Amino acid sequence: MEEYMEREDIIKKLESDLKNVKTKNDLQNVKAAYLGKNGIVTNLSLKMKEIPNEEKREYGKFLNLIKEEVTTKLESMESELEKNLLEEKLNEEKIDITLPSRKKLKGSIHPMTRVVEELEDLFVSMGYDVISGPEIDTDMNSFTKLNLPEGHPARDAQDTFYLDKDYLLRPHTSPAQVRTMEANKEKTPLRIVCPGKVYRRDDDATHSHQFMQFEGLVVGEDISLADLKGTLELFAKKLLGEKTNVRFRPSYFPFTEPSCEVDVTCFKCGGKGCSLCKQTGWIEVLGAGVVHPNVLRMSGYDPDKYTGFAFGPGIDRFAMFKYGITDIRQIYTNDIRFLEQFDRKDVD
Ligand code: DAH
């Protein structure tokens, strides 16, 4: 036994070795020096075979004890190291909660988008699909197939931006009627609305060269003017308030027969008469009518079997009224000072 290091000596040596341990790597080296292949404790175990039989028991006890002590010390060193490393890391990452936070930029929903969303929700609740059409469309879809043949005076009235002789910036959303019917060919009932930008050669406080329309089309069997009337009454009351009255005046559009223009109670004075409604108490908001048989026929629907109605309000006016906007051009110039007024506090 004399040739072996005493247990206490081993532990003392281990303790002093551990004092120099700074990193996990250091610890790994110490571990190897005691429990590794050529380690102190390992060598002690190998000596077991040289121990005389009567001492083996005693020696075994000594071995177990020393192994246990060495392992415990190494493990506690390991957990201490880990604790220190964690503390160091936490100190490095300390957050200074007294620093002022960065200002969060909050967007707002454009008044026009809000009106479109409100209208879409209303029509979806009545079973309509919402579709979108291209802003560049053909002369064919925008005029010819809407019963406005070449040379028709109403083509001039539209004051259209032509790109070449066949393509144009759509002057109204009505080509959505043609596109929907052609894509569905006699499938009924068809119920669509198409919100979108339209373009005309106009630019003053109440007219912008770009504005928004909201086309509607229903085609099926036994669809009548009465259905149109009911739908538009609901539309006006939901959008502008239950007290809103609706008035239908006969009018002319090439793509509808009969055609009408629809007025609603003036949103400013409630019908009493003011400068906005030119003392009439009414404001014109849309054109509508029963789809002309020629339009149905040109887009693949048999007018003897099917009828339909269509309507096409300009919806900028609704946004102007709802949000107190006085110049239509403000809606489209994207001035941040204007848009910031419409943050979400008045909506859900
Ligand atoms: N497209 C017409 C315009 O821009 C509005 C319109 C009138 C649309 C009658 C319709 C309609 O669908 O039936 O002035």
Side-chain angles (χ1 to χ4, degrees):
M1 284 285 277
E2 307 77 45
E3 52 189 290
Y4 316 128
M5 278 169 96
E6 281 297 334
R7 191 169 68 92
E8 269 166 39
D9 295 339
I10 296 174
I11 296 304
K12 262 195 201 131
K13 184 172 157 42
L14 175 63
E15 279 170 350
S16 93
D17 287 347
L18 286 176
K19 273 200 186 110
N20 298 323
V21 166
K22 297 270 175 307
T23 64
K24 280 203 162 180
N25 211 11
D26 297 343
L27 182 65
Q28 207 49 44
N29 291 337
V30 175
K31 206 172 181 176
Y34 288 79
L35 302 175
K37 219 171 163 198
N38 207 14
I40 296 172
V41 178
T42 319
N43 286 338
L44 284 176
S45 313
L46 292 175
K47 290 246 159 71
M48 177 63 116
K49 51 182 180 300
E50 297 161 20
I51 303 289
N53 273 349
E54 60 278 17
E55 283 177 36
K56 270 196 167 46
R57 211 182 133 88
E58 198 56 28
Y59 190 72
K61 262 192 198 164
F62 156 76
L63 268 184
N64 282 344
L65 213 63
I66 194 104
K67 261 189 211 162
E68 200 181 301
E69 251 177 300
V70 168
T71 317
T72 314
K73 289 219 178 294
L74 286 169
E75 276 172 4
S76 77
M77 185 68 205
E78 185 166 12
S79 58
E80 197 173 315
L81 255 189
E82 259 159 24
K83 208 177 99 201
N84 290 348
L85 284 177
L86 183 69
E87 243 161 51
E88 248 171 57
K89 210 168 160 206
L90 286 176
N91 278 338
E92 270 169 30
E93 291 173 1
K94 215 171 199 168
I95 296 166
D96 181 355
I97 55 164
T98 63
L99 277 177
S101 63
R102 237 177 259 148
K103 194 172 174 234
K104 260 201 193 148
L105 293 176
K106 196 167 102 208
S108 60
I109 298 202
H110 195 284
M112 227 28 250
T113 310
R114 291 196 200 178
V115 168
V116 170
E117 281 176 0
E118 195 179 329
L119 285 175
E120 283 178 0
D121 286 349
L122 170 64
F123 281 94
V124 165
S125 77
M126 294 195 278
Y128 285 66
D129 288 329
V130 178
I131 65 148
S132 64
E135 286 169 34
I136 293 177
D137 211 324
T138 56
D139 174 276
M140 182 68 91
N141 287 341
S142 309
F143 295 128
T144 314
K145 289 194 169 168
L146 286 168
N147 204 29
L148 276 130
E150 242 169 82
H152 193 290
R155 284 195 176 205
D156 290 341
Q158 303 277 10
D159 252 354
T160 306
F161 288 109
Y162 273 89
L163 303 179
D164 61 22
K165 74 177 194 357
D166 297 322
Y167 286 91
L168 42 77
L169 289 178
R170 67 176 174 199
H172 54 178
T173 42
S174 302
Q177 298 185 25
V178 174
R179 289 178 168 274
T180 310
M181 284 191 276
E182 294 202 332
N184 288 284
K185 295 277 182 219
E186 304 237 337
K187 254 192 253 155
T188 54
L190 270 189
R191 274 185 297 244
I192 61 103
V193 285
C194 173
K197 293 184 187 127
V198 298
Y199 301 85
R200 290 188 203 170
R201 293 174 186 274
D202 261 338
D203 202 5
D204 62 39
T206 50
H207 294 94
S208 151
H209 60 268
Q210 176 205 295
F211 57 101
M212 287 288 281
Q213 284 191 339
F214 192 87
E215 195 76 16
L217 173 72
V218 172
V219 181
E221 286 173 47
D222 300 324
I223 303 288
S224 72
L225 193 62
D227 298 313
L228 171 68
K229 210 168 169 244
T231 306
L232 293 181
E233 266 167 14
L234 190 76
F235 157 86
K237 284 186 194 293
K238 286 269 186 236
L239 187 70
L240 303 168
E242 285 301 320
K243 287 205 187 110
T244 308
N245 286 321
V246 179
R247 173 171 93 168
F248 290 75
R249 279 182 292 106
S251 184
Y252 169 76
F253 296 102
F255 29 91
T256 42
E257 182 55 38
S259 303
C260 55
E261 275 176 319
V262 178
D263 300 337
V264 295
T265 319
C266 175
F267 359 99
K268 197 169 166 196
C269 63
K272 287 189 208 74
C274 68
S275 59
L276 182 70
C277 58
K278 301 194 180 81
Q279 310 306 326
T280 62
W282 295 97
I283 295 208
E284 186 218 315
V285 286
L286 59 89
V290 171
V291 181
H292 197 292
N294 286 349
V295 174
L296 288 170
R297 198 175 298 116
M298 277 187 276
S299 290
Y301 279 74
D302 178 359
D304 291 329
K305 196 165 165 204
Y306 300 112
T307 48
F309 66 75
F311 54 92
I315 55 176
D316 304 72
R317 272 193 157 184
F318 297 134
M320 289 173 80
F321 156 65
K322 284 201 135 190
Y323 299 104
I325 302 163
T326 47
D327 187 334
I328 190 173
R329 288 168 297 194
Q330 280 180 322
I331 297 182
Y332 296 107
T333 45
N334 285 338
D335 185 330
I336 206 89
R337 291 163 304 180
F338 167 75
L339 295 173
E340 270 170 357
Q341 300 168 44
F342 304 99
D343 69 14
R344 304 224 59 175
K345 57 180 175 286
D346 61 327
V347 277
D348 41 278

